Amino acid sequence: MTEFLTAALGFILAMLALGLVPILRGPGDADRMMAAQLIGTGGIAALLLLGAVTGVPAAADVALTVALLATFASIAFVKKGLPHLDADEASSTEDR
Amino acid sequence: MTVATILEMVLGAVVLGLGAWTIAARETFAATVGYVAYGLLVPLIWVRLDAVDVALTEAAIGGGLGGVLLLGAAARLRASEPAAAAETPGKIVRLGAAGASVMVAAALSAAVLLLPDPAPTLAPAAIANASATGLANPVTNVLMAFRAMDTMLEKVVLLLAIVGVWSLASDQAWGGRPGPRHQADPHGVFAFLARLLPPVGIVVGIYMFWTGADHPGGAFQGGSMLAAMWLLVIMAGLTDTPPASGRWLRLVLIAGPGVFLAVGLGGVCFGLAFLAYPPTNAKPLILGIEVAMVLTIAVTLGLLVAGAPERSPQR
């Protein structure tokens, strides 16, 4: 079972490394943002598997934190990173 | 070489490469995204090193709040970025910067390479005395009991940081509300998420703090989770940032260090020493301090990310 989980962990780490390519290359900010979300999701999976393989049950808590805060970061991407999607920009001028 | 070792090496290489790219990236937004992804990957390494407490903090600060803070800075710099990128520093400045960086890196590597082996450690002493406080998590023991002075001063530093941020406010906005008033479609996906996620996040935040007594976790991790949920509601326009002059807000800001100091002075009054807990009541006292600290940390971190007051208190 541990071998299988380790293999799954290796596969997810490989996917994470692939997911870095759009962050590095872009081309657009939105592509980078989506890739960072993918890293968040893959990171959760890797943390859960790592916790199971190495016998660290508290890794699930770290995965929980990453799950909630990666969502939070992606909201901030949309609010601040992509001005053309920013509802604040159009409706008020006191932002800047 | 086992499969696990190979995986560790791959993980280390990926994180190092991402870190190097984040430093080298020219565009602020791209670099910020790289930093957030880095903050989401580093917890894996900390978990592998059995430092779950550090992993939790890194996930909360590096991936979450720190990333949002940097994104806000990148959004502000967006207008001036082309002008700044067009200015290339002179050769002497670049050589000087390179030289200074090499010297810092060399000093750091020398310090790491010259560490005595085995490293001097107080870990066995901390484990041996764990029963004195009734808490099973050695990290919480060190933070709240054995090195309580450091932790108390850290909370004062948080207070100083928020004073520093607030002092950047203009005269018109003095004592006003930080950041812009956010607006979003009240029936949209964003407002829905801002109603759906905080209840979960608040439970998880309180759980992080509570479980910190016996398992990895603690007031800082719980507080940063609560801060993130508060900021989410603010960004969705469901509530506004409180005015910096608010009395309740200021009371919450000083609650953590205040309660800590009061308990510490209580230790002096009752015949022990400053910040010494009576062994029978150590755990309730520590938990009491941590409750106040969670509130203070949540509000302070939220306000630090929200920024300096921008609108006068009347509006």
Side-chain angles (χ1 to χ4, degrees):
Chain A
M1 193 60 188
T2 312
E3 288 81 17
F4 174 72
L5 290 179
T6 311
L9 181 61
F11 177 72
I12 287 185
L13 283 181
M15 292 300 114
L16 276 180
L18 271 182
L20 288 176
V21 173
I23 289 191
L24 307 189
R25 294 187 53 195
D29 286 347
D31 304 300
R32 295 202 161 99
M33 182 188 92
M34 297 306 288
Q37 291 217 50
L38 179 71
I39 301 274
T41 314
I44 295 163
L47 277 168
L48 290 173
L49 284 170
L50 190 62
V53 169
T54 56
V56 183
D61 289 351
V62 185
L64 204 57
T65 310
V66 171
L68 283 162
L69 285 167
T71 318
F72 172 63
S74 65
I75 298 285
F77 277 132
V78 180
K79 284 295 272 192
K80 297 185 169 154
L82 306 173
H84 54 279
L85 288 179
D86 194 341
D88 291 348
E89 203 90 4
S91 54
S92 68
T93 50
E94 63 183 30
D95 283 18
R96 297 285 170 263
Chain B
M1 199 159 45
T2 61
V3 181
T5 322
I6 296 173
L7 285 184
E8 282 160 15
M9 286 167 66
V10 169
L11 183 61
V14 165
V15 170
L16 271 180
L18 182 61
W21 179 84
T22 304
I23 294 170
R26 304 303 293 257
E27 214 185 317
T28 43
F29 187 81
T32 311
V33 177
Y35 176 78
V36 172
Y38 174 83
L40 294 173
L41 285 178
V42 170
L44 278 168
I45 293 185
W46 286 119
V47 168
R48 188 67 199 93
L49 292 174
D50 263 339
V52 185
D53 284 279
V54 186
L56 277 170
T57 313
E58 175 61 34
I61 298 297
L65 293 174
V68 172
L69 193 67
L70 288 180
L71 279 171
R76 273 176 186 268
L77 290 174
R78 193 181 287 271
S80 63
E81 205 182 331
E87 282 179 16
T88 39
K91 197 166 248 176
I92 298 169
V93 177
R94 291 165 106 178
L95 277 177
S101 311
V102 167
M103 270 160 61
V104 170
L108 279 175
S109 5
V112 170
L113 289 175
L114 293 178
L115 277 180
D117 194 27
T121 174
L122 289 172
I127 302 279
N129 289 300
S131 57
T133 57
L135 305 175
N137 181 2
V139 177
T140 309
N141 264 334
V142 171
L143 286 181
M144 297 301 299
F146 306 147
R147 302 295 301 268
M149 185 72 174
D150 294 356
T151 312
M152 194 191 76
L153 292 179
E154 272 166 26
K155 298 307 160 254
V156 179
V157 169
L158 273 182
L159 205 58
L160 287 178
I162 197 77
V163 169
V165 169
W166 279 358
S167 63
L168 298 173
S170 61
D171 281 351
Q172 294 82 27
W174 191 256
R177 295 176 187 277
R181 176 84 171 103
H182 291 285
Q183 273 154 2
D185 177 10
H187 304 292
V189 177
F190 186 13
F192 175 67
L193 183 70
R195 289 188 177 97
L196 189 72
L197 205 59
V200 181
I202 289 169
V203 171
V204 171
I206 295 173
Y207 159 76
M208 282 301 167
F209 142 66
W210 185 253
T211 194
D214 296 325
H215 302 285
F220 199 83
Q221 292 90 335
S224 39
M225 177 67 77
L226 295 181
M229 293 303 123
W230 187 37
L231 286 168
L232 180 63
V233 176
I234 289 174
M235 284 199 289
L238 297 176
T239 184
D240 201 356
T241 44
S245 55
R247 185 171 301 270
W248 277 107
L249 180 74
R250 295 190 173 191
L251 276 178
V252 172
L253 284 179
I254 60 165
V259 171
F260 217 143
L261 201 61
V263 173
L265 290 175
V268 176
C269 291
F270 293 101
L272 300 156
F274 182 62
L275 280 170
Y277 312 115
T280 44
N281 292 328
K283 189 169 180 183
L285 277 176
I286 290 176
L287 284 179
I289 296 171
E290 285 203 301
V291 168
M293 266 171 41
V294 166
L295 281 176
T296 301
I297 290 167
V299 172
T300 310
L301 290 180
L303 288 173
L304 281 177
V305 175
E310 289 179 16
R311 293 165 290 151
S312 60
Q314 284 78 34
R315 294 218 334 252

